[in-house]
Amino acid sequence: PLRPGAEEGMRFTGRIGGGLAGDVRRRWHSYVSDWVDGLRDSRSSSKTLAAMFFLYFACLLPAIAFGVLNEKNTSGFMSVKKTMLAQATGGEEFYVFGGQPILVLLATAPLALVTKVLYSIASSNGLDFGAFYAWVGIWCCVFMCL
């Protein structure tokens, strides 16, 4: 059930992004508190450092493993450095824009297999793998936004 007063945010506004704008106006104090509350605790820096080191090593090992696999499967096009950079960039974007600092993005085996299949399709048809891979990502993004 919705809390009292939440119903007005669930109404159709008739404007593009009207519901989102209303939600941000209603919850602005909560958004600011999400960023600031962690800094108020006296032990927050030690907690943050411990979580950072744990996640750094928990994310680094799969990036190296699947980066090596992607480098082998794509004849060097996707290297370990590129995999680590992509994970770091994607994680930072999710952290800032998604408001989910705890979300962990990792390279996975299914993604490595999809990359291998896309590389084989591109190379067998004489297509540039980088452009083909980018357009597959854009196509998926369009469908996710629909």
Side-chain angles (χ1 to χ4, degrees):
L2 295 172
R3 61 181 171 74
E7 294 85 15
E8 63 261 4
M10 302 303 282
R11 292 192 187 126
F12 181 68
T13 63
R15 295 177 298 156
I16 294 176
L20 178 63
D23 186 45
V24 169
R25 275 193 302 275
R26 275 190 314 281
R27 300 206 18 93
W28 179 251
H29 66 282
S30 297
Y31 293 142
V32 173
S33 126
D34 288 345
W35 287 87
V36 177
D37 284 349
L39 303 173
R40 292 185 181 151
D41 186 15
S42 61
R43 298 182 325 164
S44 65
S45 59
S46 63
K47 291 177 186 178
T48 302
L49 282 174
M52 273 181 14
F53 281 118
F54 170 74
L55 288 175
Y56 177 76
F57 289 110
C59 295
L60 184 64
L61 296 177
I64 292 171
F66 290 115
V68 169
L69 185 62
N70 282 336
E71 189 169 11
K72 179 184 170 195
N73 289 340
T74 61
S75 302
F77 184 83
M78 297 179 77
S79 63
V80 175
K81 288 180 185 179
K82 289 180 183 177
T83 303
M84 290 169 51
L85 181 65
Q87 270 189 213
T89 305
E92 288 172 356
E93 289 175 5
F94 262 76
Y95 169 68
V96 172
F97 297 114
Q100 298 182 7
I102 310 264
L103 184 67
V104 179
L105 301 175
L106 296 174
T108 60
L111 184 60
L113 290 172
V114 167
T115 304
K116 180 179 181 178
V117 169
L118 290 176
Y119 182 79
S120 65
I121 291 171
S123 61
S124 66
N125 290 311
L127 301 170
D128 177 40
F129 173 67
F132 184 65
Y133 195 71
W135 278 109
V136 168
I138 291 169
W139 186 253
C140 290
C141 178
V142 167
F143 274 103
M144 291 295 291
C145 290
L146 294 178

